[in-house]
Amino acid sequence: PGTCRVGSMCFAKCERYPWWPARVTWYEGGDPVKVSVEVPRRGAATGRRVSVDFVRRDATGSTDALRVVPLAAGLATLRSWDAANRGNAAADPECTRERYDEAVARAVELAVEREMAITGSTGDE
């Protein structure tokens, strides 16, 4: 499995919503939380809750760790709106293709900023 810590950028899936870029804000259990390494379409819940703030949405959510994928891993399969929204007939009207594209771009920026803060890099190297 993959791992996430508080502050990690990820994709998260809550019921009735598409997969969406998010930042981990809390999780149950030890550090770090084990999450999926690829987008699961089915699977048994882990029982570990992960709370997130969704990027470019004024919303938070809580979901099972099975429904959280690190940002880099999720970009391989969730870069497109169609992939993120697959099988989600009752999507929130605020979850549009345009907002999704903006959220993915912003999540990548936030991930780079976080990595630079952790490593002390200025980005000029």
Side-chain angles (χ1 to χ4, degrees):
T3 59
C4 282
R5 298 183 185 284
V6 169
S8 294
M9 299 307 297
C10 64
F11 281 91
K13 173 80 172 93
C14 290
E15 190 174 343
R16 297 186 322 266
Y17 292 93
W19 285 92
W20 201 269
R23 182 189 311 263
V24 174
T25 57
W26 176 89
Y27 49 82
E28 291 178 323
D31 186 33
V33 65
K34 292 180 180 174
V35 297
S36 298
V37 293
E38 59 187 29
V39 177
R41 293 297 171 200
R42 291 186 169 75
T46 66
R48 292 193 63 196
R49 302 301 296 174
V50 177
S51 294
V52 298
D53 283 338
F54 291 103
V55 177
R56 294 284 191 215
R57 295 190 58 225
D58 189 21
T60 61
S62 178
T63 191
D64 189 86
L66 177 71
R67 301 285 183 240
V68 177
V69 177
L71 185 69
L75 286 172
T77 53
L78 295 172
R79 188 167 279 291
S80 79
W81 169 248
D82 292 334
N85 201 38
R86 184 176 298 133
N88 193 43
D92 183 316
E94 290 186 16
C95 298
T96 64
R97 179 183 305 270
E98 293 76 21
R99 288 190 76 181
Y100 181 80
D101 291 343
E102 292 170 4
V104 169
R106 182 63 181 141
V108 170
E109 291 172 0
L110 291 169
V112 169
E113 290 171 10
R114 181 174 190 267
E115 184 64 25
M116 289 171 59
I118 290 170
T119 63
S121 171
T122 61
D124 295 331
E125 292 88 45

